[in-house]
Amino acid sequence: QMTQSPSSLSASVGDRVTITCQANRDMRTYLNWYQQTPGQAPKLLIYAASNLEAGVPSRFSGSGSGTDFTLTISSLQPEDFATYYCQQYDIVPVTFGQGTRLEIK
Amino acid sequence: QVQLQESGPRLVRPSGPLSLTCAVSGVSISSPNWWTWVRQSPEMGLEWIGEMHHNGNRNSNPSFDGRLTISLDKSKNVFSLKLTSVTAADTALYYCVSRRIDDVNPEAYFFDNWGPGTLVTVSS
């Protein structure tokens, strides 16, 4: 239901990065984004497509509605190299994207 | 600060039950949150299993129909997962998670607190 792209991405500190999540049906804005670092549980970044979770740096932003959603990191920091997941909650069962692994170039 | 911690057997025999408990601290399990189980494996990625509210309502992934029980113990502030008839495909990292509804937009919800996860292996 949710297709993330790219599946992996190499970038440098300071780069602007965009990750997309495409749904096969209208999800309205019922989409969240999470970050997962190795050995850790996922961490909420963005909820309802564009709302920044409290305590998350403002370099993270989300946009989109319907079938196409975007997570943008405006200026990559060393701690941002991780795997990112989108998650829809428009229909049950809740589902996650397959993940985008962001690596250091 | 809300904290969740999974506990339970790390090795489960095929065809047996998989049982996990999540201890919740920093918030009452009788709060408006939904108490959720998510698992992660290389084959399936992140997979939502199901959830329960303190009012008794439950939601679950149809993939687990007939095998899944989620329960709450308000006196101990814990919630539990029981999955029966397990196979190797149930080997995964299991997370207990709180699902919170947004204060401003009640149609928006998200998984805001996660336990560290516990790896459960199904093997003889």
Side-chain angles (χ1 to χ4, degrees):
Chain A
Q1 291 176 329
M2 311 299 297
T3 302
Q4 277 184 243
S5 61
S7 56
S8 64
L9 173 62
S10 295
S12 301
V13 172
D15 283 354
R16 179 184 180 89
V17 166
T18 297
I19 298 169
T20 64
C21 186
Q22 188 168 50
N24 62 358
R25 49 165 284 161
D26 185 351
M27 297 290 180
R28 295 175 280 183
T29 59
Y30 295 173
L31 186 115
N32 304 323
W33 290 97
Y34 300 84
Q35 176 196 63
Q36 187 177 32
T37 53
Q40 301 296 313
K43 172 190 171 184
L44 177 68
L45 298 175
I46 302 286
Y47 65 92
S50 61
N51 295 274
L52 191 68
E53 169 67 342
V56 174
S58 59
R59 63 182 180 273
F60 291 91
S61 63
S63 64
S65 66
T67 60
D68 295 293
F69 302 86
T70 299
L71 173 70
T72 300
I73 310 171
S74 60
S75 179
L76 275 174
Q77 299 302 300
E79 61 268 30
D80 299 338
F81 292 95
T83 301
Y84 294 84
Y85 296 93
C86 60
Q87 171 246 318
Q88 68 79 22
Y89 55 95
D90 182 60
I91 59 171
V92 174
V94 163
T95 52
F96 294 83
Q98 80 275 20
T100 295
R101 184 175 178 181
L102 179 52
E103 300 173 321
I104 301 174
K105 183 183 287 185
Chain B
Q1 182 181 3
V2 177
Q3 292 188 317
L4 294 86
Q5 179 67 58
E6 306 88 352
S7 63
R10 304 294 179 94
L11 179 64
V12 179
R13 302 302 182 193
S15 78
L18 182 160
S19 296
L20 296 172
T21 297
C22 181
V24 179
S25 59
V27 68
S28 170
I29 208 160
S30 296
S31 72
N33 291 352
W34 285 75
W35 304 102
T36 306
W37 291 96
V38 174
R39 71 182 186 181
Q40 186 173 28
S41 64
E43 297 79 16
M44 297 297 291
L46 287 162
E47 192 174 17
W48 176 78
I49 299 172
E51 61 186 8
M52 186 170 179
H53 192 269
H54 71 84
N55 64 10
N57 288 343
R58 294 177 174 87
N59 298 306
S60 63
N61 190 326
S63 297
F64 300 96
D65 279 355
R67 299 202 295 141
L68 176 65
T69 302
I70 296 175
S71 58
L72 304 185
D73 186 333
K74 297 177 186 179
S75 67
K76 296 180 180 178
N77 219 46
V78 303
F79 65 105
S80 300
L81 165 76
K82 183 176 181 179
L83 194 61
T84 59
S85 305
V86 298
T87 69
D90 294 307
T91 293
L93 184 59
Y94 285 76
Y95 294 104
C96 58
V97 188
S98 65
R99 170 167 80 81
R100 181 163 62 91
I101 298 171
D102 185 39
D103 294 334
V104 175
N105 175 10
E107 291 192 348
Y109 65 79
F110 37 83
F111 301 121
D112 63 338
N113 286 288
W114 298 64
T118 188
L119 179 62
V120 179
T121 301
V122 179
S123 175
S124 55

